[in-house]
Amino acid sequence: MDATAPGSLSKVWIDLPVRTKGIAVVVLPIIMLLAGLLLLEAMVQRENKAEQWVQHTLQVRSRLSSILNDLLEAETAARGYIISHQAQFLPSLAKARAKTTDHLVALQKLIDDNPNQLQRMPELEDLVAKKFAAIDQMIHDEAGRDVGPSPDLVRSYQAMLALRKTLESMDAEESQLLALRTETMSSQRQTTMAVGAGTLIIGFLGGVGSAVLFGRSITRRMDLLRINARALRLEAPLLPATPARDEIGQVEKELEVTSELLAERSEKLRQSESQLRAVIDNTRAGVYIKDLKSRFLLANPRCAEVFGASPERLLGKAPADLYPAERAAEVRANDERVMTEKRAMEFEEKVTYGGTDHIFLSVKVPLLDKNGEVYGLCGVSTEITERKRAEDLSRQQQEELEQRVHERTASLEQATQSLRQESEERRETNEELVRTQAQLLQAQKMEVIGTVASGVAHDFNNVLTAIMGYATLLLHEGADAAEIRATEILRAAQRAASLSRQLLGFSRAQPFEPQIVGIRQAIEESESMLRRVIGDSVELRTSIERGVGAALVDPAQFEQLLMNLVVNARDAMPTGGKIIITACRHLAVPHQPENIPPAESWVSVSVADEGSGIPAAVRARIFEPFFTTKAKGQGTGLGLATCAMIAERSGGWIECESDLGKGSTFTIYLPRVEKLDAPQPVRHEVPTASGEETILVVEDEPVVGEIVGLLLSNLGYKVLTAENGEAAERLVAEKGAEIDLILTDLNMPRMNGHELIERLVRINPEVRIILTSGNDPQSDDPDSPPLEFDFLPKPFTRQSLAEKVRQVLEA
């Protein structure tokens, strides 16, 4: 295009006033350069931000790795202690626990930007707490163990598996974030380099173009001035002298002004180029321009520094002049690819200087002329050696961590196998020890029985004396006194049964049949009996809170509990005094023992006396079985022990408060029940007429079998008797259809009650059965299944026998 053609850009430029062109020449390149520098600064800040996020992600992964390492160290220390019982492992455990806590706190701060990781954090903290709780429990269990593995070993192993799964999940997410943020950082760096290169090129080309345009304008102006001057000189003879000189003077002034403007604009252009050069020369990235043969046309000091030469000596050098052959071919191929495909590209290129390898991230941009043809490329190379080393180090640490986890897992499996073998050996040793302990316990029981025999024999002999005395009176007195004597015999027998219940209750052989019992009703019904027991020298008072409620207890055992406490209170006041029974309700009990399950509310029953009090040394042992302060033959030491056992079986406990000289107070706490809505046992009227039912009585004790048969005959039943299981089996086989009910003892020689039931049911599946025993039915044969038949505990009365028989026959 002709620069002088009408409408051309050059003509428009030439026709502009000189001052306007001068300002445009200076201002436009400066504006373009400043805009490029501002954009470059923004890109650099975004690149730095992206790199900070990459470092942040690496820190999170490092914390996750540290937490897993600390947990593995804690596991190792705990297992070392469990296997060796050496305390030297405990400091390592404590140190690992403290480090884990610190890393969790640091991790919480690092993941504030990640909602997904924040949601996992409570789960991670909970799993860490469970892990250390399992470790603590293992150590606690091992503290007093000589044999047998800790039962918390499996729980600790499962907690470790859950922890590892959670940590791996969190690390996987951070790994994805790292890849994404690394890609973002690389993209930002590429963009920054491209903007920097573009700014350099725009400033450079803008300055050169402005200089060319301004130079052409000045040259044309000078040419016009010379032409005008020549014309003036040629026409001088024809023109008036004064106007010609004035016009020449005006032209000279314009030329002078134009020269000054040119000098001023040239200085500003020089300053602009100086600023651009300062940016390029002082950046830590290598900036360069190459021609089509990859030879350097321009290089900044950083670029030249890499090759150990000055920028001037680097000009004209090709990759083959600077790199080893293999690397030179790689760099040349990268350059040619950029120029061939005519698009910006990013490469990782390795350069060796200072005796070590350095890695650069190079962004290369093709340079195009006005026709779109490539005439070279511009490159910006930033060293990323440290970042690559950090990534390689992180990768290496991850591989090492995975290797350590694998090795520790294998070691843990080996240790677990070893522990299993050791556990089996300890189990066998433990079983042998249990057998030995059982033998020792049996020997100790025999010794205790010998110690307590005199007390029990004394009480039983007293009862038997009363029974025998009243029976003798029955033989010699008339019929009028028979009812009175028989009543006293029955009362003595009930005392004997109470004594046996204490022994059976303490040994847990006594059946426990809990019912919802109203506390007020139970105390009031027992009050008359308790007054007869304590005598006239002792005053009995009761204080029962309104709405005290009920408790789930065995009625007979609760009555026995009250009796034992009142008798002890009476014995503490040999010269007389006052006993107060108090019942209250409580919403909470602050001193509840740890082994007692919680309840919504409690009811307490207290028995207080005015005796001399109990010394502290004695209070510490008063609930021990067979411990008594009474004289030999006056007590068995089972009273308070039985009270504690009944309270415990009812879900509560017993306490004692005592001051010397001020008396003692025994308090039983039981879980409170609000309503008395338990079903009441069905009571049947005792038939007086003869019935049609036939009952088989199986009892190995002849006296008991005879009296039971007489009682049933007296009630109108037809009675068959068998002295053992074989005889009963023969009778059922012969008269199975005639027998309506079988009443059998559980504890018999040769064939016990359980075996007899199995055989009788095979003969007649419809037969009705009542079982009797003086012990808990399960204590006769602990391995037998729970009873599916009605049970009548011994001793029983005529009334209880009649009710149970009628209940079963009418069911």
Side-chain angles (χ1 to χ4, degrees), residues 81-113:
Y81 173 78
I82 291 171
I83 295 173
S84 66
H85 291 276
Q86 297 294 323
Q88 62 186 11
F89 289 97
L90 297 181
S92 298
L93 174 59
K95 183 179 179 181
R97 188 196 305 268
K99 288 167 59 181
T100 302
T101 301
D102 293 341
H103 288 314
L104 284 174
V105 173
L107 180 62
Q108 179 71 43
K109 296 179 180 178
L110 285 173
I111 63 175
D112 282 343
D113 62 294

PDB file of all heavy atoms in Angstrom, residues 81-113:
ATOM      1  N   TYR A  81       4.256 -53.280  75.045  1.00  0.00           N
ATOM      2  CA  TYR A  81       3.995 -53.385  76.487  1.00  0.00           C
ATOM      3  C   TYR A  81       3.197 -54.644  76.798  1.00  0.00           C
ATOM      4  O   TYR A  81       3.469 -55.353  77.769  1.00  0.00           O
ATOM      5  CB  TYR A  81       3.237 -52.154  76.956  1.00  0.00           C
ATOM      6  CG  TYR A  81       2.771 -52.254  78.388  1.00  0.00           C
ATOM      7  CD1 TYR A  81       3.664 -52.049  79.445  1.00  0.00           C
ATOM      8  CD2 TYR A  81       1.456 -52.571  78.682  1.00  0.00           C
ATOM      9  CE1 TYR A  81       3.239 -52.164  80.750  1.00  0.00           C
ATOM     10  CE2 TYR A  81       1.022 -52.685  79.992  1.00  0.00           C
ATOM     11  CZ  TYR A  81       1.921 -52.480  81.023  1.00  0.00           C
ATOM     12  OH  TYR A  81       1.500 -52.595  82.316  1.00  0.00           O
ATOM     13  N   ILE A  82       2.161 -54.933  75.947  1.00  0.00           N
ATOM     14  CA  ILE A  82       1.306 -56.095  76.207  1.00  0.00           C
ATOM     15  C   ILE A  82       2.096 -57.388  76.106  1.00  0.00           C
ATOM     16  O   ILE A  82       1.923 -58.319  76.909  1.00  0.00           O
ATOM     17  CB  ILE A  82       0.129 -56.098  75.205  1.00  0.00           C
ATOM     18  CG1 ILE A  82      -0.806 -54.921  75.516  1.00  0.00           C
ATOM     19  CG2 ILE A  82      -0.644 -57.399  75.263  1.00  0.00           C
ATOM     20  CD1 ILE A  82      -1.868 -54.708  74.478  1.00  0.00           C
ATOM     21  N   ILE A  83       3.005 -57.459  75.123  1.00  0.00           N
ATOM     22  CA  ILE A  83       3.765 -58.694  74.924  1.00  0.00           C
ATOM     23  C   ILE A  83       4.849 -58.855  75.983  1.00  0.00           C
ATOM     24  O   ILE A  83       5.062 -59.947  76.529  1.00  0.00           O
ATOM     25  CB  ILE A  83       4.370 -58.709  73.507  1.00  0.00           C
ATOM     26  CG1 ILE A  83       3.243 -58.771  72.456  1.00  0.00           C
ATOM     27  CG2 ILE A  83       5.332 -59.876  73.341  1.00  0.00           C
ATOM     28  CD1 ILE A  83       3.720 -58.631  71.035  1.00  0.00           C
ATOM     29  N   SER A  84       5.548 -57.740  76.313  1.00  0.00           N
ATOM     30  CA  SER A  84       6.719 -57.848  77.195  1.00  0.00           C
ATOM     31  C   SER A  84       6.435 -57.472  78.642  1.00  0.00           C
ATOM     32  O   SER A  84       7.213 -57.775  79.522  1.00  0.00           O
ATOM     33  CB  SER A  84       7.836 -56.948  76.660  1.00  0.00           C
ATOM     34  OG  SER A  84       7.455 -55.591  76.744  1.00  0.00           O
ATOM     35  N   HIS A  85       5.303 -56.728  78.880  1.00  0.00           N
ATOM     36  CA  HIS A  85       5.003 -56.218  80.231  1.00  0.00           C
ATOM     37  C   HIS A  85       6.116 -55.307  80.738  1.00  0.00           C
ATOM     38  O   HIS A  85       6.334 -55.203  81.947  1.00  0.00           O
ATOM     39  CB  HIS A  85       4.766 -57.358  81.222  1.00  0.00           C
ATOM     40  CG  HIS A  85       3.509 -58.113  80.956  1.00  0.00           C
ATOM     41  ND1 HIS A  85       2.273 -57.720  81.415  1.00  0.00           N
ATOM     42  CD2 HIS A  85       3.285 -59.245  80.240  1.00  0.00           C
ATOM     43  CE1 HIS A  85       1.367 -58.579  81.026  1.00  0.00           C
ATOM     44  NE2 HIS A  85       1.945 -59.514  80.299  1.00  0.00           N
ATOM     45  N   GLN A  86       6.820 -54.634  79.843  1.00  0.00           N
ATOM     46  CA  GLN A  86       7.890 -53.714  80.221  1.00  0.00           C
ATOM     47  C   GLN A  86       7.363 -52.277  80.130  1.00  0.00           C
ATOM     48  O   GLN A  86       6.830 -51.855  79.111  1.00  0.00           O
ATOM     49  CB  GLN A  86       9.100 -53.879  79.282  1.00  0.00           C
ATOM     50  CG  GLN A  86       9.739 -55.266  79.345  1.00  0.00           C
ATOM     51  CD  GLN A  86      10.372 -55.533  80.708  1.00  0.00           C
ATOM     52  OE1 GLN A  86      10.936 -54.626  81.318  1.00  0.00           O
ATOM     53  NE2 GLN A  86      10.250 -56.770  81.169  1.00  0.00           N
ATOM     54  N   ALA A  87       7.559 -51.493  81.214  1.00  0.00           N
ATOM     55  CA  ALA A  87       7.031 -50.124  81.261  1.00  0.00           C
ATOM     56  C   ALA A  87       7.780 -49.173  80.339  1.00  0.00           C
ATOM     57  O   ALA A  87       7.343 -48.040  80.138  1.00  0.00           O
ATOM     58  CB  ALA A  87       7.087 -49.601  82.695  1.00  0.00           C
ATOM     59  N   GLN A  88       8.914 -49.592  79.784  1.00  0.00           N
ATOM     60  CA  GLN A  88       9.705 -48.701  78.941  1.00  0.00           C
ATOM     61  C   GLN A  88       8.965 -48.327  77.655  1.00  0.00           C
ATOM     62  O   GLN A  88       9.327 -47.375  76.969  1.00  0.00           O
ATOM     63  CB  GLN A  88      11.020 -49.382  78.581  1.00  0.00           C
ATOM     64  CG  GLN A  88      10.828 -50.684  77.760  1.00  0.00           C
ATOM     65  CD  GLN A  88      12.146 -51.414  77.534  1.00  0.00           C
ATOM     66  OE1 GLN A  88      13.133 -51.074  78.138  1.00  0.00           O
ATOM     67  NE2 GLN A  88      12.131 -52.404  76.669  1.00  0.00           N
ATOM     68  N   PHE A  89       7.888 -49.062  77.301  1.00  0.00           N
ATOM     69  CA  PHE A  89       7.126 -48.748  76.089  1.00  0.00           C
ATOM     70  C   PHE A  89       6.096 -47.643  76.336  1.00  0.00           C
ATOM     71  O   PHE A  89       5.595 -47.046  75.390  1.00  0.00           O
ATOM     72  CB  PHE A  89       6.396 -50.006  75.587  1.00  0.00           C
ATOM     73  CG  PHE A  89       7.324 -51.046  75.009  1.00  0.00           C
ATOM     74  CD1 PHE A  89       7.750 -52.109  75.780  1.00  0.00           C
ATOM     75  CD2 PHE A  89       7.758 -50.948  73.699  1.00  0.00           C
ATOM     76  CE1 PHE A  89       8.592 -53.069  75.257  1.00  0.00           C
ATOM     77  CE2 PHE A  89       8.606 -51.896  73.167  1.00  0.00           C
ATOM     78  CZ  PHE A  89       9.036 -52.962  73.943  1.00  0.00           C
ATOM     79  N   LEU A  90       5.739 -47.383  77.599  1.00  0.00           N
ATOM     80  CA  LEU A  90       4.664 -46.429  77.886  1.00  0.00           C
ATOM     81  C   LEU A  90       5.019 -44.995  77.524  1.00  0.00           C
ATOM     82  O   LEU A  90       4.159 -44.250  77.043  1.00  0.00           O
ATOM     83  CB  LEU A  90       4.261 -46.538  79.357  1.00  0.00           C
ATOM     84  CG  LEU A  90       3.677 -47.900  79.755  1.00  0.00           C
ATOM     85  CD1 LEU A  90       3.296 -47.907  81.223  1.00  0.00           C
ATOM     86  CD2 LEU A  90       2.466 -48.240  78.898  1.00  0.00           C
ATOM     87  N   PRO A  91       6.287 -44.487  77.769  1.00  0.00           N
ATOM     88  CA  PRO A  91       6.603 -43.116  77.330  1.00  0.00           C
ATOM     89  C   PRO A  91       6.426 -42.911  75.834  1.00  0.00           C
ATOM     90  O   PRO A  91       5.972 -41.860  75.386  1.00  0.00           O
ATOM     91  CB  PRO A  91       8.059 -42.936  77.780  1.00  0.00           C
ATOM     92  CG  PRO A  91       8.230 -43.872  78.924  1.00  0.00           C
ATOM     93  CD  PRO A  91       7.387 -45.060  78.590  1.00  0.00           C
ATOM     94  N   SER A  92       6.788 -43.916  75.044  1.00  0.00           N
ATOM     95  CA  SER A  92       6.600 -43.792  73.592  1.00  0.00           C
ATOM     96  C   SER A  92       5.125 -43.676  73.249  1.00  0.00           C
ATOM     97  O   SER A  92       4.733 -42.929  72.345  1.00  0.00           O
ATOM     98  CB  SER A  92       7.214 -45.009  72.883  1.00  0.00           C
ATOM     99  OG  SER A  92       8.600 -45.068  73.125  1.00  0.00           O
ATOM    100  N   LEU A  93       4.283 -44.420  73.963  1.00  0.00           N
ATOM    101  CA  LEU A  93       2.846 -44.331  73.744  1.00  0.00           C
ATOM    102  C   LEU A  93       2.330 -42.939  74.072  1.00  0.00           C
ATOM    103  O   LEU A  93       1.549 -42.350  73.321  1.00  0.00           O
ATOM    104  CB  LEU A  93       2.126 -45.375  74.599  1.00  0.00           C
ATOM    105  CG  LEU A  93       0.595 -45.328  74.590  1.00  0.00           C
ATOM    106  CD1 LEU A  93       0.063 -45.512  73.180  1.00  0.00           C
ATOM    107  CD2 LEU A  93       0.020 -46.392  75.518  1.00  0.00           C
ATOM    108  N   ALA A  94       2.771 -42.386  75.209  1.00  0.00           N
ATOM    109  CA  ALA A  94       2.329 -41.043  75.607  1.00  0.00           C
ATOM    110  C   ALA A  94       2.787 -39.998  74.595  1.00  0.00           C
ATOM    111  O   ALA A  94       2.047 -39.069  74.252  1.00  0.00           O
ATOM    112  CB  ALA A  94       2.853 -40.719  77.001  1.00  0.00           C
ATOM    113  N   LYS A  95       4.041 -40.131  74.120  1.00  0.00           N
ATOM    114  CA  LYS A  95       4.546 -39.188  73.130  1.00  0.00           C
ATOM    115  C   LYS A  95       3.754 -39.257  71.832  1.00  0.00           C
ATOM    116  O   LYS A  95       3.409 -38.219  71.241  1.00  0.00           O
ATOM    117  CB  LYS A  95       6.024 -39.487  72.866  1.00  0.00           C
ATOM    118  CG  LYS A  95       6.672 -38.512  71.899  1.00  0.00           C
ATOM    119  CD  LYS A  95       8.148 -38.850  71.710  1.00  0.00           C
ATOM    120  CE  LYS A  95       8.813 -37.880  70.709  1.00  0.00           C
ATOM    121  NZ  LYS A  95      10.241 -38.220  70.501  1.00  0.00           N
ATOM    122  N   ALA A  96       3.434 -40.468  71.385  1.00  0.00           N
ATOM    123  CA  ALA A  96       2.651 -40.621  70.154  1.00  0.00           C
ATOM    124  C   ALA A  96       1.254 -40.048  70.329  1.00  0.00           C
ATOM    125  O   ALA A  96       0.696 -39.431  69.420  1.00  0.00           O
ATOM    126  CB  ALA A  96       2.563 -42.109  69.781  1.00  0.00           C
ATOM    127  N   ARG A  97       0.667 -40.192  71.506  1.00  0.00           N
ATOM    128  CA  ARG A  97      -0.662 -39.639  71.772  1.00  0.00           C
ATOM    129  C   ARG A  97      -0.637 -38.112  71.685  1.00  0.00           C
ATOM    130  O   ARG A  97      -1.506 -37.478  71.086  1.00  0.00           O
ATOM    131  CB  ARG A  97      -1.134 -40.081  73.159  1.00  0.00           C
ATOM    132  CG  ARG A  97      -2.597 -39.717  73.459  1.00  0.00           C
ATOM    133  CD  ARG A  97      -2.879 -39.819  74.950  1.00  0.00           C
ATOM    134  NE  ARG A  97      -2.544 -41.098  75.496  1.00  0.00           N
ATOM    135  CZ  ARG A  97      -3.386 -42.101  75.606  1.00  0.00           C
ATOM    136  NH1 ARG A  97      -4.633 -41.943  75.235  1.00  0.00           N
ATOM    137  NH2 ARG A  97      -3.011 -43.260  76.132  1.00  0.00           N
ATOM    138  N   ALA A  98       0.415 -37.497  72.306  1.00  0.00           N
ATOM    139  CA  ALA A  98       0.518 -36.027  72.292  1.00  0.00           C
ATOM    140  C   ALA A  98       0.735 -35.510  70.867  1.00  0.00           C
ATOM    141  O   ALA A  98       0.131 -34.514  70.447  1.00  0.00           O
ATOM    142  CB  ALA A  98       1.653 -35.573  73.205  1.00  0.00           C
ATOM    143  N   LYS A  99       1.603 -36.192  70.106  1.00  0.00           N
ATOM    144  CA  LYS A  99       1.853 -35.761  68.735  1.00  0.00           C
ATOM    145  C   LYS A  99       0.592 -35.875  67.886  1.00  0.00           C
ATOM    146  O   LYS A  99       0.311 -35.011  67.048  1.00  0.00           O
ATOM    147  CB  LYS A  99       2.980 -36.602  68.132  1.00  0.00           C
ATOM    148  CG  LYS A  99       4.355 -36.280  68.710  1.00  0.00           C
ATOM    149  CD  LYS A  99       5.390 -37.331  68.336  1.00  0.00           C
ATOM    150  CE  LYS A  99       5.547 -37.484  66.845  1.00  0.00           C
ATOM    151  NZ  LYS A  99       6.540 -38.522  66.505  1.00  0.00           N
ATOM    152  N   THR A 100      -0.180 -36.938  68.100  1.00  0.00           N
ATOM    153  CA  THR A 100      -1.421 -37.108  67.346  1.00  0.00           C
ATOM    154  C   THR A 100      -2.389 -35.960  67.618  1.00  0.00           C
ATOM    155  O   THR A 100      -3.022 -35.413  66.710  1.00  0.00           O
ATOM    156  CB  THR A 100      -2.083 -38.444  67.711  1.00  0.00           C
ATOM    157  OG1 THR A 100      -1.162 -39.501  67.429  1.00  0.00           O
ATOM    158  CG2 THR A 100      -3.356 -38.659  66.902  1.00  0.00           C
ATOM    159  N   THR A 101      -2.490 -35.564  68.893  1.00  0.00           N
ATOM    160  CA  THR A 101      -3.372 -34.450  69.258  1.00  0.00           C
ATOM    161  C   THR A 101      -2.937 -33.163  68.566  1.00  0.00           C
ATOM    162  O   THR A 101      -3.758 -32.410  68.018  1.00  0.00           O
ATOM    163  CB  THR A 101      -3.365 -34.257  70.782  1.00  0.00           C
ATOM    164  OG1 THR A 101      -3.797 -35.471  71.411  1.00  0.00           O
ATOM    165  CG2 THR A 101      -4.308 -33.125  71.187  1.00  0.00           C
ATOM    166  N   ASP A 102      -1.605 -32.893  68.580  1.00  0.00           N
ATOM    167  CA  ASP A 102      -1.094 -31.678  67.926  1.00  0.00           C
ATOM    168  C   ASP A 102      -1.391 -31.690  66.433  1.00  0.00           C
ATOM    169  O   ASP A 102      -1.803 -30.668  65.855  1.00  0.00           O
ATOM    170  CB  ASP A 102       0.417 -31.567  68.159  1.00  0.00           C
ATOM    171  CG  ASP A 102       0.746 -31.319  69.634  1.00  0.00           C
ATOM    172  OD1 ASP A 102      -0.165 -30.886  70.369  1.00  0.00           O
ATOM    173  OD2 ASP A 102       1.891 -31.574  70.031  1.00  0.00           O
ATOM    174  N   HIS A 103      -1.184 -32.835  65.800  1.00  0.00           N
ATOM    175  CA  HIS A 103      -1.429 -32.914  64.348  1.00  0.00           C
ATOM    176  C   HIS A 103      -2.916 -32.755  64.039  1.00  0.00           C
ATOM    177  O   HIS A 103      -3.277 -32.172  63.006  1.00  0.00           O
ATOM    178  CB  HIS A 103      -0.924 -34.250  63.802  1.00  0.00           C
ATOM    179  CG  HIS A 103       0.579 -34.347  63.750  1.00  0.00           C
ATOM    180  ND1 HIS A 103       1.371 -33.325  63.249  1.00  0.00           N
ATOM    181  CD2 HIS A 103       1.438 -35.318  64.162  1.00  0.00           C
ATOM    182  CE1 HIS A 103       2.641 -33.676  63.335  1.00  0.00           C
ATOM    183  NE2 HIS A 103       2.711 -34.881  63.890  1.00  0.00           N
ATOM    184  N   LEU A 104      -3.798 -33.260  64.898  1.00  0.00           N
ATOM    185  CA  LEU A 104      -5.236 -33.093  64.666  1.00  0.00           C
ATOM    186  C   LEU A 104      -5.630 -31.619  64.749  1.00  0.00           C
ATOM    187  O   LEU A 104      -6.439 -31.128  63.957  1.00  0.00           O
ATOM    188  CB  LEU A 104      -6.028 -33.903  65.691  1.00  0.00           C
ATOM    189  CG  LEU A 104      -6.089 -35.414  65.462  1.00  0.00           C
ATOM    190  CD1 LEU A 104      -6.766 -36.106  66.625  1.00  0.00           C
ATOM    191  CD2 LEU A 104      -6.816 -35.738  64.165  1.00  0.00           C
ATOM    192  N   VAL A 105      -5.047 -30.895  65.722  1.00  0.00           N
ATOM    193  CA  VAL A 105      -5.337 -29.463  65.846  1.00  0.00           C
ATOM    194  C   VAL A 105      -4.864 -28.714  64.602  1.00  0.00           C
ATOM    195  O   VAL A 105      -5.567 -27.862  64.039  1.00  0.00           O
ATOM    196  CB  VAL A 105      -4.679 -28.892  67.118  1.00  0.00           C
ATOM    197  CG1 VAL A 105      -4.820 -27.372  67.167  1.00  0.00           C
ATOM    198  CG2 VAL A 105      -5.309 -29.504  68.363  1.00  0.00           C
ATOM    199  N   ALA A 106      -3.624 -29.021  64.167  1.00  0.00           N
ATOM    200  CA  ALA A 106      -3.090 -28.352  62.972  1.00  0.00           C
ATOM    201  C   ALA A 106      -3.915 -28.697  61.733  1.00  0.00           C
ATOM    202  O   ALA A 106      -4.177 -27.846  60.888  1.00  0.00           O
ATOM    203  CB  ALA A 106      -1.626 -28.752  62.772  1.00  0.00           C
ATOM    204  N   LEU A 107      -4.335 -29.976  61.624  1.00  0.00           N
ATOM    205  CA  LEU A 107      -5.130 -30.393  60.467  1.00  0.00           C
ATOM    206  C   LEU A 107      -6.474 -29.665  60.439  1.00  0.00           C
ATOM    207  O   LEU A 107      -6.965 -29.274  59.379  1.00  0.00           O
ATOM    208  CB  LEU A 107      -5.345 -31.910  60.520  1.00  0.00           C
ATOM    209  CG  LEU A 107      -6.154 -32.514  59.378  1.00  0.00           C
ATOM    210  CD1 LEU A 107      -5.454 -32.281  58.045  1.00  0.00           C
ATOM    211  CD2 LEU A 107      -6.380 -34.007  59.608  1.00  0.00           C
ATOM    212  N   GLN A 108      -7.089 -29.469  61.614  1.00  0.00           N
ATOM    213  CA  GLN A 108      -8.372 -28.763  61.687  1.00  0.00           C
ATOM    214  C   GLN A 108      -8.257 -27.356  61.106  1.00  0.00           C
ATOM    215  O   GLN A 108      -9.148 -26.876  60.402  1.00  0.00           O
ATOM    216  CB  GLN A 108      -8.818 -28.699  63.160  1.00  0.00           C
ATOM    217  CG  GLN A 108     -10.129 -27.959  63.371  1.00  0.00           C
ATOM    218  CD  GLN A 108     -11.317 -28.735  62.852  1.00  0.00           C
ATOM    219  OE1 GLN A 108     -11.401 -29.920  63.066  1.00  0.00           O
ATOM    220  NE2 GLN A 108     -12.224 -28.080  62.171  1.00  0.00           N
ATOM    221  N   LYS A 109      -7.132 -26.679  61.393  1.00  0.00           N
ATOM    222  CA  LYS A 109      -6.934 -25.325  60.867  1.00  0.00           C
ATOM    223  C   LYS A 109      -6.687 -25.351  59.357  1.00  0.00           C
ATOM    224  O   LYS A 109      -7.123 -24.453  58.632  1.00  0.00           O
ATOM    225  CB  LYS A 109      -5.759 -24.671  61.578  1.00  0.00           C
ATOM    226  CG  LYS A 109      -5.995 -24.453  63.075  1.00  0.00           C
ATOM    227  CD  LYS A 109      -4.778 -23.819  63.738  1.00  0.00           C
ATOM    228  CE  LYS A 109      -5.016 -23.600  65.231  1.00  0.00           C
ATOM    229  NZ  LYS A 109      -3.826 -23.026  65.888  1.00  0.00           N
ATOM    230  N   LEU A 110      -5.969 -26.374  58.891  1.00  0.00           N
ATOM    231  CA  LEU A 110      -5.602 -26.410  57.468  1.00  0.00           C
ATOM    232  C   LEU A 110      -6.805 -26.677  56.563  1.00  0.00           C
ATOM    233  O   LEU A 110      -6.825 -26.221  55.421  1.00  0.00           O
ATOM    234  CB  LEU A 110      -4.541 -27.493  57.246  1.00  0.00           C
ATOM    235  CG  LEU A 110      -3.116 -27.165  57.725  1.00  0.00           C
ATOM    236  CD1 LEU A 110      -2.222 -28.376  57.611  1.00  0.00           C
ATOM    237  CD2 LEU A 110      -2.529 -25.991  56.936  1.00  0.00           C
ATOM    238  N   ILE A 111      -7.805 -27.442  57.046  1.00  0.00           N
ATOM    239  CA  ILE A 111      -8.906 -27.845  56.158  1.00  0.00           C
ATOM    240  C   ILE A 111     -10.135 -26.968  56.332  1.00  0.00           C
ATOM    241  O   ILE A 111     -11.241 -27.364  55.947  1.00  0.00           O
ATOM    242  CB  ILE A 111      -9.280 -29.315  56.400  1.00  0.00           C
ATOM    243  CG1 ILE A 111      -9.790 -29.515  57.840  1.00  0.00           C
ATOM    244  CG2 ILE A 111      -8.117 -30.229  56.105  1.00  0.00           C
ATOM    245  CD1 ILE A 111     -10.298 -30.914  58.099  1.00  0.00           C
ATOM    246  N   ASP A 112      -9.965 -25.764  56.915  1.00  0.00           N
ATOM    247  CA  ASP A 112     -11.109 -24.862  57.064  1.00  0.00           C
ATOM    248  C   ASP A 112     -11.721 -24.472  55.727  1.00  0.00           C
ATOM    249  O   ASP A 112     -12.886 -24.073  55.656  1.00  0.00           O
ATOM    250  CB  ASP A 112     -10.685 -23.591  57.820  1.00  0.00           C
ATOM    251  CG  ASP A 112     -10.575 -23.851  59.312  1.00  0.00           C
ATOM    252  OD1 ASP A 112     -11.119 -24.875  59.756  1.00  0.00           O
ATOM    253  OD2 ASP A 112      -9.942 -23.059  60.005  1.00  0.00           O
ATOM    254  N   ASP A 113     -10.939 -24.558  54.638  1.00  0.00           N
ATOM    255  CA  ASP A 113     -11.421 -24.167  53.320  1.00  0.00           C
ATOM    256  C   ASP A 113     -12.139 -25.290  52.590  1.00  0.00           C
ATOM    257  O   ASP A 113     -12.680 -25.068  51.512  1.00  0.00           O
ATOM    258  CB  ASP A 113     -10.233 -23.720  52.452  1.00  0.00           C
ATOM    259  CG  ASP A 113      -9.236 -24.854  52.245  1.00  0.00           C
ATOM    260  OD1 ASP A 113      -8.616 -25.285  53.237  1.00  0.00           O
ATOM    261  OD2 ASP A 113      -9.094 -25.314  51.101  1.00  0.00           O
TER     262      ASP A 113
END
